[in-house]
Amino acid sequence: MILRGLEVEQVRRFGDPVRLSGLGPGLNLLSAPNEFGKSTLLAALRAVFMLQHGSRSEAVRSLQPYGQSAAPRIAADFAIDGTEYRIEKRFVSRPAARLTEGGRVLEGEEAEERLQRLIGLEPGKRGTEALGIMAALWVGQGQSLVQPELSDPARTTVRTCLEADLGAMTGGAEAERILARVRADLAVLQDGRGNPKGRYRAAIEGEAEAAGEIARLDARRRMLEDDLAAMAECRRRLAHEDNVDRREKEHAVLAEARRLRDRLREYDALYSAACAAQAHAAARVEAAGQDIARRAAWQAELDGETARLADLTEALGLAEARHAAAQAAQAARQQAAEAAERARAAARRALDRVEAHIALGRLERERHDEATRLDRLEHAEAEVARAGLRLAACTMDDARMAAIRQAERTVQTARAASRAQATVLNVALEDGAEGRLVLDGRVLQTGSVDLTDSATLRIDGVGTIRIEPASGDRARLRAELTAAEDALRRMLDQAGCADPDAAETALAQRRQADLALNAARSVLSHLLPGTQDVAAAMAEARRRVAALDERIARQAASLAHGPNPADAAGGEPGVDVAATHDAALRAMQAADARAADARQALFAPDETLRQAAADLAGVRAEEQSAREAAARLVRDMAAARTAEADDVLSARQETARAALAQAGQAVQRAEAARPEGTEALADAAIRRQERLIQDGQARLGTLRQDMAALEARIRAAEGDGLDERIAGQERLRESCAAECAVCAREVKILHCLRDTLTAAERAATERYLAPLCRAIQPALAALFPRAGVTMEADFSVSRLTRRMDEPFDTLSDGTREQIAVLVRLGLADLLRARGRPAMLVLDDALTYSDAGRLERLFDILTDAADRMQILVLTCRAELFTGLGARPLTVEAVDKVQ
């Protein structure tokens, strides 16, 4: 089977008619980007061959253009065994089917039946796709990852090609009958998942229930035994806890712990008092020693101050003589420095006058620059205002233009739908007949004319013919077209445009006005400082101009009553301000130099005077300080001896030392009498013993309650007859176990018989599938050297054998996809070898193959293309360039209006 061409119209994204061109024998490749419509073309191919034209199933409705109710039309040109065919179908509205076979044309159901016989299909249920092997060979997007799912007719086709009788190879009808009987008997005892059912399940459940009851009763008996043992233990513990001697001993221990705590508290009080007395005696000894040491330090300090005071009196006389000499020398140099400073001040005033005139000129230049910037801001603001007015005058914007475009597309869609429902009038004029056919006043020429409304055809010399299109939707489509045109006209009128082109022009004018406004705003933004707005910037500029005017006025007023810069330069007319400033600056520098020399001459003598004055002040202060310190020491020593004489102080120190020795001995005696332990440990022992007594009382109450509960449970259990009930359940369990063993033996026998028959059937199936395996093996060996496959009776691959057997489901996505493609190639080769139509279509397949395997797959497809037609659809043009396939194109089909 060779596909020659495929035409689609009103199929999903293809509203206008298009044709898949360039098809031929061998490899064919359509490479296009995502959302181009490749999967739509494959869906159209499957629809024209496998869907009934009268079907209204979901598969048919999914072919309609998105959001529309148009009627899909699909046509395919193909050849089988050298005979050319064309099948054309129209779906949904006015469904039709036409098969052209040589010179013969078949319509409707007759065309459908002939097409199905040609390519080996059987009708599907309720308008679904026809069933057959071709459905497995046309692989849609994402289906290449799984093995082909063969319908019953497809399996029948493959079995017919294999030319074998599975029943005869496995022992004939008798083997089938026995196997069916075995399965029926197994079905009585086991369900489909191998779980027991019926009497087998009842026996198992009965045995389990009896065992459960035995376990429950046995657990109750063990509980009774445990309760008896617990009651004995409870009696023993109760006797232990209720011992009077033990309780009295515990109370005695508690009393002894409390007495020990009291003794520790008394010792702590005595020891603290002894330590306090020792600390007090030590403090008295230390205080007496400090007083004696302080009096000795005062005497030594007084002797030092007396000697220092004599030295300072002599130094004071020398310092007063040096200070008087320095003052006389300083007075003469001070007069020279004052004269130099007066000359420098006069030069400074002359220079300031000249610089004031220069500052006035600079202010005037700043005022001119600021006024120029203000003018530019005002001009830029005016430009922005004018551009804004031009933009506001535009009535068109992007939203309105988008609505107009949408309305125009709605009109075009309505016109296309109307044309799709049109009656086609084919005109073929003979020689000399030009001008004789007139349709509604228009002379017709050879060609096709679409009629969407009633029309009158006049034939010169014959008469008129009234043509009424048969479409029932004509009035609705005309109303939709009129409504769409009216909506478009209203939108154009609201925008003030005559047609969509004028609207596009108005939108372009708006964009130009928008660009002009943006340019004016850009100029204005460059004139603005930072993020300041226009009004603030202009107000700031005006404020600066006014401020500069005020400063200029003040500067001019200050200069109005002073001397002229030319006068400062000597009164020469025509001298410029810069020259005057240079002369004044040189005079100022000369006066500075003279003043600096006078200050330098004054500096050294002045430093000498300051140093002499500082030395004199320092000696005086030090001499006064020494006098005051000596007087203070004399007063302090006299006051201390008056309060306590030196011999009394020595006696107090000796008395304090004796008291300290006695206090130390008292502390040692207290430490020797310390009881064992601490107060904290005694408190802990008391708390522990109290808690022990309380816990014993609580345990005694709990044991009495437990004893009563155990006695009640034991009395209740002894009346239930547990041993007799356990024996009855044992007999019931043995009966169910015997029935279960019988059923298990029957199941084992049936399984053995079924497995034997299945093994024989599998061996026959392997011989039966050998031709299909031989068809796959060459391509498999090229892709996986020294590998083999295991096929099941449903013609699927169950495992791949390389170094080990690998289940198909555990293989990688890429390997599963490659094997699934090879299985389809094998099926196609099998069909072709038996003289049946075969053609392979792969939509976006081989997506998980690495570069090496992809090259080998290209070789396999190239080899298979010598025997059959292969169509590859892909969005990865750069990867499939190496396939070397015939490139295909999708072209628009010209239609004569």
Side-chain angles (χ1 to χ4, degrees):
M1 176 178 174
I2 304 297
L3 182 67
R4 302 292 191 190
L6 178 67
E7 295 179 8
V8 297
E9 182 180 2
Q10 297 296 332
V11 177
R12 294 182 183 170
R13 71 180 307 277
F14 297 113
D16 296 329
V18 297
R19 180 179 178 85
L20 179 62
S21 302
L23 287 159
L27 276 172
N28 298 265
L29 175 66
L30 175 60
S31 61
N34 290 329
E35 301 185 359
F36 175 81
K38 302 184 295 298
S39 298
T40 298
L41 293 175
L42 177 56
L45 181 64
R46 296 178 70 100
V48 75
F49 280 100
M50 301 180 189
L51 287 177
Q52 297 284 328
H53 66 280
S55 171
R56 293 186 177 274
S57 64
E58 180 61 30
V60 171
R61 290 196 297 272
S62 68
L63 296 174
Q64 292 180 296
Y66 306 122
Q68 300 182 29
S69 58
R73 185 187 69 82
I74 309 171
D77 299 315
F78 62 99
I80 297 179
D81 296 332
T83 303
E84 299 291 335
Y85 299 88
R86 178 180 174 85
I87 178 65
E88 183 175 357
K89 291 184 182 181
R90 180 186 175 95
F91 298 94
V92 182
S93 176
R94 291 190 300 164
R98 172 182 295 176
L99 177 66
T100 303
E101 180 180 355
R104 186 173 61 152
V105 178
L106 302 177
E107 302 278 351
E109 295 299 329
E110 188 178 6
E112 296 279 10
E113 293 173 1
R114 175 57 178 160
L115 178 64
Q116 291 172 2
R117 289 196 301 272
L118 281 173
I119 60 176
L121 298 175
E122 292 185 10
K125 296 180 180 180
R126 296 181 180 179
T128 58
E129 283 190 349
L131 306 176
I133 189 64
M134 199 66 73
L137 300 182
W138 292 354
V139 187
Q141 192 176 50
Q143 297 177 356
S144 60
L145 284 171
V146 298
Q147 299 187 65
E149 296 183 4
L150 301 181
S151 60
D152 291 339
R155 292 193 184 94
T156 302
T157 301
V158 178
R159 290 194 182 99
T160 303
C161 293
L162 293 174
E163 297 176 348
D165 183 2
L166 180 61
M169 295 179 71
T170 57
E174 184 63 21
E176 289 289 339
R177 187 185 64 78
I178 294 174
L179 187 58
R181 176 64 182 275
V182 168
R183 289 170 178 161
D185 290 345
L186 273 175
V188 173
L189 298 175
Q190 288 184 323
D191 58 16
R193 291 189 294 272
N195 298 320
K197 62 180 287 188
R199 63 188 182 89
Y200 188 11
R201 179 177 179 180
I204 293 174
E205 292 177 349
E207 182 182 7
E209 184 177 354
E213 182 64 17
I214 290 171
R216 188 181 67 81
L217 293 174
D218 192 49
R220 289 189 59 190
R221 183 169 60 183
R222 287 195 300 272
M223 288 176 59
L224 176 60
E225 294 172 352
D226 293 342
D227 286 344
L228 290 171
M231 187 170 67
E233 176 64 17
C234 189
R235 283 199 183 102
R236 185 190 65 77
R237 292 177 59 194
L238 187 60
H240 174 75
E241 294 293 341
D242 203 18
N243 191 320
V244 176
D245 294 338
R246 190 174 62 83
R247 288 203 301 273
E248 289 179 353
K249 184 178 179 180
E250 289 174 351
H251 284 285
V253 170
L254 176 60
E256 180 60 26
R258 287 172 176 169
R259 286 193 293 271
L260 177 61
R261 182 186 61 184
D262 293 341
R263 288 199 304 272
L264 286 171
R265 287 177 178 174
E266 292 174 359
Y267 164 76
D268 287 341
L270 292 175
Y271 182 74
S272 298
C275 290
Q278 184 183 28
H280 178 68
R284 291 179 63 192
V285 171
E286 183 179 2
Q290 289 176 354
D291 289 343
I292 293 172
R294 187 181 303 112
R295 291 184 183 186
W298 284 345
Q299 185 61 51
E301 189 177 356
L302 178 59
D303 294 342
E305 290 296 332
T306 301
R308 188 167 69 92
L309 182 59
D311 295 337
L312 288 174
T313 301
E314 182 180 358
L316 178 61
L318 296 175
E320 288 176 346
R322 286 195 301 271
H323 182 261
Q327 280 182 330
Q330 180 66 16
R333 285 185 289 271
Q334 183 68 35
Q335 292 176 358
E338 290 174 356
E341 284 295 331
R342 286 193 295 272
R344 179 180 175 278
R348 176 76 263 177
R349 286 193 296 273
L351 179 59
D352 289 344
R353 182 69 177 178
V354 174
E355 288 179 346
H357 281 281
I358 295 174
L360 178 60
R362 185 168 59 252
L363 288 175
E364 291 174 346
R365 288 193 299 274
E366 288 181 10
R367 197 268 181 199
H368 178 269
D369 294 341
E370 196 64 35
T372 302
R373 181 174 174 275
L374 178 60
D375 292 340
R376 290 176 180 172
L377 278 173
E378 292 174 345
H379 179 72
E381 183 187 26
E383 283 296 323
V384 170
R386 286 193 291 271
L389 291 176
R390 289 196 296 271
L391 180 61
C394 296
T395 59
M396 182 59 62
D397 55 17
D398 288 334
R400 180 170 288 177
M401 191 66 236
I404 291 174
R405 289 171 182 160
Q406 180 61 38
E408 186 180 12
R409 286 194 293 272
T410 303
V411 171
Q412 293 173 355
T413 302
R415 286 175 180 166
S418 180
R419 287 198 300 270
Q421 299 293 333
T423 298
V424 181
L425 178 63
N426 294 315
V427 179
L429 298 179
E430 298 179 353
D431 294 341
E434 290 78 359
R436 298 185 60 189
L437 296 181
V438 180
L439 180 66
D440 288 341
R442 179 165 62 94
V443 177
L444 296 181
Q445 303 296 331
T446 298
S448 297
V449 178
D450 291 341
L451 299 179
T452 59
D453 205 347
S454 301
T456 301
L457 175 66
R458 184 174 62 80
I459 304 175
D460 189 18
V462 176
T464 60
I465 299 174
R466 184 68 175 175
I467 301 174
E468 293 286 344
S471 172
D473 294 338
R474 183 180 59 189
R476 180 181 60 79
L477 292 175
R478 186 187 303 111
E480 290 177 355
L481 177 58
T482 302
E485 289 175 344
D486 291 343
L488 176 61
R489 173 51 52 194
R490 285 194 302 274
M491 291 182 184
L492 290 172
D493 291 342
Q494 291 173 0
C497 300
D499 52 32
D501 291 338
E504 294 286 356
T505 301
L507 181 60
Q509 291 174 352
R510 178 187 179 86
R511 288 173 177 165
Q512 290 299 321
D514 193 23
L515 289 175
L517 177 59
N518 290 334
R521 286 174 175 169
S522 177
V523 171
L524 183 59
S525 65
H526 282 88
L527 293 174
L528 295 176
T531 59
Q532 195 173 25
D533 59 12
V534 180
M538 293 178 66
E540 179 66 18
R542 293 189 182 99
R543 187 188 63 76
R544 289 176 182 171
V545 170
L548 287 171
D549 287 340
E550 183 179 353
R551 290 176 62 188
I552 289 170
R554 286 199 305 269
Q555 189 74 5
S558 66
L559 293 174
H561 305 290
N564 190 288
D567 297 338
E572 298 179 4
V575 178
D576 59 55
V577 176
T580 304
H581 178 266
D582 291 341
L585 183 59
R586 287 192 296 271
M588 178 64 194
Q589 291 171 348
D592 276 340
R594 289 191 296 271
D597 293 340
R599 284 195 304 272
Q600 184 64 29
L602 184 64
F603 177 73
D606 184 65
E607 182 63 26
T608 302
L609 177 61
R610 283 197 300 271
Q611 185 62 45
D615 292 343
L616 177 60
V619 172
R620 284 177 178 171
E622 194 172 358
E623 191 266 346
Q624 181 64 29
S625 175
R627 289 182 184 277
E628 292 176 356
R632 186 181 66 253
L633 288 171
V634 171
R635 288 194 301 272
D636 290 343
M637 291 180 66
R641 289 190 175 104
T642 300
E644 187 177 16
D646 291 341
D647 54 350
V648 176
L649 177 60
S650 298
R652 179 163 61 86
Q653 184 181 31
E654 291 301 326
T655 303
R657 284 175 179 171
L660 176 61
Q662 292 176 0
Q665 293 173 1
V667 169
Q668 291 176 358
R669 288 193 298 272
E671 288 178 348
R674 175 189 293 274
E676 294 295 331
T678 64
E679 185 177 352
L681 290 177
D683 286 337
I686 292 170
R687 290 194 302 273
R688 181 178 61 80
Q689 196 64 26
E690 289 175 346
R691 188 166 57 251
L692 181 63
I693 294 172
Q694 292 173 358
D695 291 346
Q697 294 173 353
R699 286 195 302 272
L700 184 60
T702 302
L703 286 171
R704 287 170 178 168
Q705 293 176 0
D706 293 344
M707 190 69 179
L710 287 170
E711 289 175 351
R713 283 207 303 270
I714 290 170
R715 284 195 299 270
E718 287 176 346
D720 286 346
L722 293 178
D723 292 337
E724 294 80 2
R725 293 174 63 185
I726 290 174
Q729 291 297 324
E730 287 285 357
R731 292 192 295 273
L732 178 60
R733 182 178 66 177
E734 291 173 358
S735 173
C736 292
E739 177 66 15
C740 183
V742 171
C743 293
R745 183 171 177 274
E746 290 182 13
V747 168
K748 186 175 181 181
I749 292 172
L750 291 172
H751 272 248
C752 181
L753 183 56
R754 183 195 64 185
D755 293 343
T756 302
L757 292 172
T758 302
E761 182 183 33
R762 178 172 292 280
T765 301
E766 290 176 356
R767 294 194 302 274
Y768 164 71
L769 293 174
L772 181 56
C773 291
R774 285 196 299 273
I776 298 174
Q777 189 59 39
L780 182 71
L783 192 60
F784 306 104
R786 297 181 297 281
V789 294
T790 301
M791 300 200 70
E792 301 299 326
D794 61 353
F795 310 111
S796 65
V797 174
S798 61
R799 61 184 60 250
L800 175 68
T801 303
R802 290 184 283 192
R803 291 182 298 276
M804 62 179 69
D805 286 348
E806 302 174 68
F808 182 81
D809 293 339
T810 64
L811 299 173
S812 67
D813 289 345
T815 302
R816 292 206 307 271
E817 182 183 44
Q818 294 148 16
I819 291 176
V821 171
L822 295 184
V823 169
R824 290 179 170 89
L825 276 175
L827 291 172
D829 271 334
L830 194 63
L831 291 174
R832 184 197 57 80
R834 301 302 188 272
R836 293 177 178 270
M839 171 189 170
L840 184 63
V841 180
L842 301 174
D843 181 11
D844 213 7
L846 309 179
T847 56
Y848 297 96
S849 300
D850 57 50
R853 286 192 182 177
L854 192 61
E855 289 292 332
R856 292 198 291 275
L857 283 167
F858 285 172
D859 295 338
I860 293 170
L861 291 175
T862 302
D863 177 67
D866 294 336
R867 305 184 296 276
M868 69 187 78
Q869 186 186 35
I870 299 176
L871 173 58
V872 178
L873 311 174
T874 183
C875 61
R876 301 184 298 165
E878 65 281 358
L879 290 180
F880 280 78
T881 303
L883 184 59
R886 178 184 293 104
L888 305 181
T889 59
V890 176
E891 302 172 348
V893 177
D894 295 333
K895 186 173 182 180
V896 179
Q897 298 297 328

